[in-house]
Amino acid sequence: MNHTPRFRTVLSCALLAMSLVAGATACGDGDSKRHPLSAKPSSSAAAGKIVFSGPTGKTKADPNKPLEVTARTGDGRITDVTAIDTKGHYLAGELAADGTRWHSTAALAAGTRYTVKVATESKKGASGTRTLSFDTRPAKKKLEVEFGPEAGEYGVGQPLTATLSEPVKSKAARDVVERALTVRSTPSAEGGAWYWVDDTELHYRPKEYWPANSVITASSNLDGVRVSNKLYGAATKPLKLEIGDRVEAIADASSHYMTVLVNGEEINNIPITTGKPGFSTRNGVKVVLGQEYYVQMRGTSVGIGGSEGYNLPVYYATRVTWSGEYVHAAPWSVGSQGVANVSHGCVGMSTANAAWFFETFRQGDLVEVINSAGDYMEDFGNGFGDWNVDWDEWREGSVLQAGTREGSSPVDYARLRPSI
């Protein structure tokens, strides 16, 4: 009988031999409907002929090699094998049709203890069990996962990130990693998928923004799991985020006004100025990265010099790109706000309006720029442009969901559902 583990990675490798530490048990008083593993102790001959081959004494098993259980003689057969580690993960395996041999078909976890129960049946129909416990060697090379951002309160646009300590390139290894990373939302959000930005970074987002006033948790089950060759997962600290109201700003570069909405209701309309010709503000959805009450902005820091150079004290600065795009107070351009675009790419407004914006928005809230002559916001690498990626394209960035019809895979259900 095959058992389905949490991870189904099937790997071929050499035989693992392990020492026998077993006690024979057998069936009770004849209830044929009872599972073999529930039988009372007995001295079944078939159970006594079961062999686990392997290292002796206190030697720990190599997790890179499979586990094998064999019925040594023709006195009986193996009917069931259950191998489970200390975290409750089952080890997948295959039982030969004649019941003479069972072998694992997935890699053992590293640095853990397994309990193996073998059910047998003699030629006369007597049931028996043998039980073995053994330890596996800890991994020498570990893959660590760090979730981001830091735990705290965020806006509905905040993507989750998973940063890996080692590059993961192959599809098979990425499959193992992605299956181990779990995200849950309460209340639930529609869809949800990881996107491989590169070999060491993944981003997670639902189809639409997170539900307002929700709780998001991210966790990993990679600890001890074989990712590739001799690389095994390490324990990961889970992450919890609290999501606030849906707060978003739509900055229209053509009308020179910004509309601010909270949970879909307009609460303010602010005159602004955006980037002038040659310095046009990027279009698209941007996620607030952080806020600074005071920033000394220098043109030279972003490659702007000569007649366009500047060196200004800026207050109430809300950052939306790493390259230096902010929503901030610009008292020097009040006369142009609501009328013309005169900035070097930032969204400028009066000091009073910038202070209000600074107090209203938080990290993870949304700022969308429309009708600008500028380029589109980068998807990755300059902040969070994740929401500018079409949902179908986003799903293609997931090893598990690429090429599948949305909603057809059990992963779609498992990845994002309400906690009970």
Side-chain angles (χ1 to χ4, degrees):
M1 177 177 179
N2 293 342
H3 289 279
T4 303
R6 186 167 302 187
F7 305 98
R8 288 182 174 271
T9 308
V10 178
L11 306 169
S12 62
C13 38
L15 284 180
L16 167 68
M18 33 188 62
S19 61
L20 176 62
V21 182
T25 62
C27 63
D29 54 5
D31 185 352
S32 61
K33 294 183 179 180
R34 295 179 65 186
H35 191 282
L37 300 186
S38 68
K40 295 180 179 180
S42 173
S43 56
S44 166
K49 300 297 183 180
I50 294 301
V51 174
F52 302 87
S53 55
T56 59
K58 296 182 178 180
T59 304
K60 295 184 178 181
D62 183 352
N64 289 294
K65 297 179 180 179
L67 168 66
E68 185 176 77
V69 181
T70 306
R72 190 166 54 185
T73 69
D75 291 339
R77 65 189 183 94
I78 300 169
T79 59
D80 190 22
V81 176
T82 301
I84 186 171
D85 68 17
T86 53
K87 295 183 178 65
H89 299 165
Y90 285 88
L91 180 66
E94 290 182 352
L95 179 63
D98 61 2
T100 59
R101 176 177 175 267
W102 179 96
H103 70 280
S104 60
T105 56
L108 280 74
T112 191
R113 186 172 183 81
Y114 277 93
T115 298
V116 184
K117 291 185 178 181
V118 183
T120 62
E121 184 179 71
S122 70
K123 286 185 176 181
K124 295 181 179 181
S127 298
T129 63
R130 275 201 170 229
T131 300
L132 167 75
S133 295
F134 66 92
D135 296 318
T136 55
R137 291 196 297 240
K140 293 182 180 179
K141 188 177 181 181
K142 292 187 176 183
L143 178 69
E144 297 180 353
V145 180
E146 183 178 359
F147 289 121
E150 295 181 354
E153 298 181 2
Y154 294 86
V156 300
Q158 180 65 52
L160 297 177
T161 63
T163 303
L164 311 180
S165 61
E166 300 284 342
V168 176
K169 299 181 179 181
S170 74
K171 183 177 180 180
R174 288 186 173 190
D175 184 287
V176 174
V177 171
E178 202 172 322
R179 287 182 186 277
L181 305 182
T182 302
V183 178
R184 291 186 173 87
S185 169
T186 307
S188 62
E190 182 180 1
W194 288 102
Y195 185 105
W196 286 83
V197 177
D198 56 35
D199 294 341
T200 60
E201 183 176 0
L202 299 83
H203 287 196
Y204 187 100
R205 49 157 277 206
K207 184 174 184 178
E208 303 295 341
Y209 302 130
W210 297 110
N213 304 305
S214 57
V215 176
I216 313 301
T217 58
S219 59
S220 169
N221 294 318
L222 265 181
D223 188 19
V225 174
R226 184 179 178 181
V227 177
S228 63
N229 199 8
K230 295 183 179 180
L231 179 65
Y232 287 78
T236 300
K237 181 180 179 180
L239 173 68
K240 179 180 178 181
L241 303 183
E242 295 181 2
I243 304 300
D245 290 329
R246 176 169 172 165
V247 181
E248 54 194 319
I250 302 173
D252 189 334
S254 63
S255 71
H256 316 295
Y257 271 81
M258 172 187 280
T259 302
V260 178
L261 303 96
V262 174
N263 296 327
E265 180 181 351
E266 181 178 334
I267 63 169
N268 207 344
N269 196 29
I270 302 170
I272 60 171
T273 182
T274 63
K276 60 187 176 181
F279 301 93
S280 297
T281 307
R282 296 172 181 82
N283 286 291
V285 177
K286 303 156 192 176
V287 176
V288 172
L289 302 174
Q291 293 177 302
E292 301 165 74
Y293 170 70
Y294 165 79
V295 180
Q296 188 70 28
M297 292 192 178
R298 299 176 177 86
T300 54
S301 65
V302 290
I304 300 175
S307 61
E308 292 292 347
Y310 55 87
N311 187 353
L312 297 168
V314 175
Y315 294 89
Y316 300 110
T318 298
R319 182 188 282 270
V320 292
T321 73
W322 296 124
S323 62
E325 190 177 319
Y326 289 82
V327 178
H328 63 74
W332 54 85
S333 66
V334 169
S336 298
Q337 293 164 18
V339 179
N341 294 321
V342 299
S343 83
H344 287 90
C346 290
V347 176
M349 57 185 64
S350 71
T351 300
N353 284 329
W356 177 87
F357 188 94
F358 191 91
E359 293 297 326
T360 303
F361 281 70
R362 74 173 75 190
Q363 191 171 339
D365 287 336
L366 302 158
V367 176
E368 181 178 8
V369 176
I370 62 175
N371 300 322
S372 172
D375 295 332
Y376 228 76
M377 171 68 178
E378 301 92 335
D379 295 340
F380 307 103
N382 193 20
F384 293 115
D386 302 45
W387 301 103
N388 299 309
V389 180
D390 179 80
W391 178 240
D392 289 337
E393 181 182 347
W394 185 273
R395 293 182 74 247
E396 289 301 311
S398 161
V399 170
L400 298 181
Q401 298 195 30
T404 66
R405 180 172 56 85
E406 185 176 2
S408 64
S409 168
V411 173
D412 292 324
Y413 170 75
R415 278 290 173 271
L416 193 59
R417 61 186 184 274
S419 300
I420 299 176

